[in-house]
Amino acid sequence: MSDYQTARIALGARLRELRVESGLNGKSLAVRLAWPASKVSKLETGKQSPTGDDLRAWAGALDVPETVSELLGRLRSLETHYAAWRRQLAAGVRARQEAWQATESASATVWNFESGVIPGLLQTPEYARHMFIRTTTLHRTVQDIEAGVNARMQRQQALYTPGRSFHFLIWEPALHMLLCPAGVMAGQLDRLAGVHGMSTVTLGVVPLGAELTVVPTHGFWIFDEQLVMVETIGAELRLTDSTEIELYRTVWRELQAVAASGREAHRLIARARACLNLM
């Protein structure tokens, strides 16, 4: 069962709890709401997602208006904190890149850690193209690859905006993962090496031999310490709880403490490039 479905079932259980506490059975509540009894059942068992209007009507029919904000909060969490990639990419990778750009443009400071890929804001067009091909093929979604590449390159203009700051950490294995042809990876590593010196960007590489106090299981983004975004294989998570944000800030600080920067980071990037089997 997915986290999304688990959360929907939990919301349904809360709706049922409110109904039971009111002393009504499902059929009586359906009559009050002028709904089919099957709708009440589906909402309570998590087989159907409620709308905001459904939740307001539910609370009103049970005379518990004080629960509306709680229920709507649960619904927002359901809709925005866990978004399956099939739904995220339904309109294509270009639309997804534009949504990312909107989030980035509202943030002055961005922290990004990647464990297996090159950060999107530092990707070359050729590397990005291969990433989008793999993503859309895996999830069987619209393959608007070139539009997606162009949108990702447009996002990168933020790196040249005065007053903005972007902090990148990359786990060393990401420098060696061939998610594209070796020649493309060589160009990508050259691009990384050229990032140093940009006034808005810092770049660190977490070496394989570093003794770690945290496990870098997946990449994540932190926006102005107000939002964390995590990309898993199946979905994108948006975390806004201050406790969760501080957890990711702690992980960032622990990784940054052992990351190589400057000449040492350059050396690790050069070593990865030397390992490529180029004809």
Side-chain angles (χ1 to χ4, degrees), residues 4 13 16 53 77 104 139 142 160 169 237 250 267 278:
Y4 178 81
R16 182 179 184 280
D53 288 339
S77 177
E104 289 163 352
H139 297 289
V142 179
Y160 305 94
L169 288 178
L237 310 180
T250 298
R267 187 183 70 80
L278 298 174

Side-chain angles (χ1 to χ4, degrees), residues 75-195:
L75 180 61
R76 282 194 297 272
S77 177
L78 179 69
E79 292 177 337
T80 64
H81 287 207
Y82 187 95
W85 283 118
R86 286 293 293 275
R87 290 187 291 126
Q88 289 283 72
L89 297 172
V93 290
R94 175 183 177 179
R96 189 69 208 104
Q97 290 302 298
E98 291 173 345
W100 266 96
Q101 185 174 25
T103 300
E104 289 163 352
S105 64
S107 305
T109 306
V110 178
W111 295 265
N112 177 208
F113 167 72
E114 294 294 352
S115 61
V117 299
I118 304 303
L121 286 176
L122 302 179
Q123 291 178 8
T124 64
E126 294 79 11
Y127 184 95
R129 184 172 294 111
H130 285 277
M131 290 301 300
F132 287 143
I133 290 172
R134 279 156 176 69
T135 299
T136 56
T137 299
L138 175 64
H139 297 289
R140 300 178 183 177
T141 54
V142 179
Q143 292 201 327
D144 58 333
I145 307 301
E146 294 310 309
V149 170
N150 291 336
R152 175 158 285 181
M153 296 305 105
Q154 181 62 39
R155 279 177 57 199
Q156 295 182 4
Q157 293 305 305
L159 300 177
Y160 305 94
T161 304
R164 307 287 300 282
S165 59
F166 297 85
H167 307 282
F168 299 98
L169 288 178
I170 306 173
W171 198 24
E172 187 180 358
L175 304 180
H176 295 267
M177 288 193 183
L178 284 181
L179 301 170
C180 58
V184 171
M185 192 62 185
Q188 177 61 72
L189 293 173
D190 290 342
R191 159 67 170 152
L192 276 187
V195 164

Side-chain angles (χ1 to χ4, degrees), residues 25-41:
N25 59 36
K27 191 172 296 185
S28 298
L29 177 57
V31 170
R32 284 194 185 185
L33 292 167
W35 291 354
S38 60
K39 179 174 179 177
V40 171
S41 175

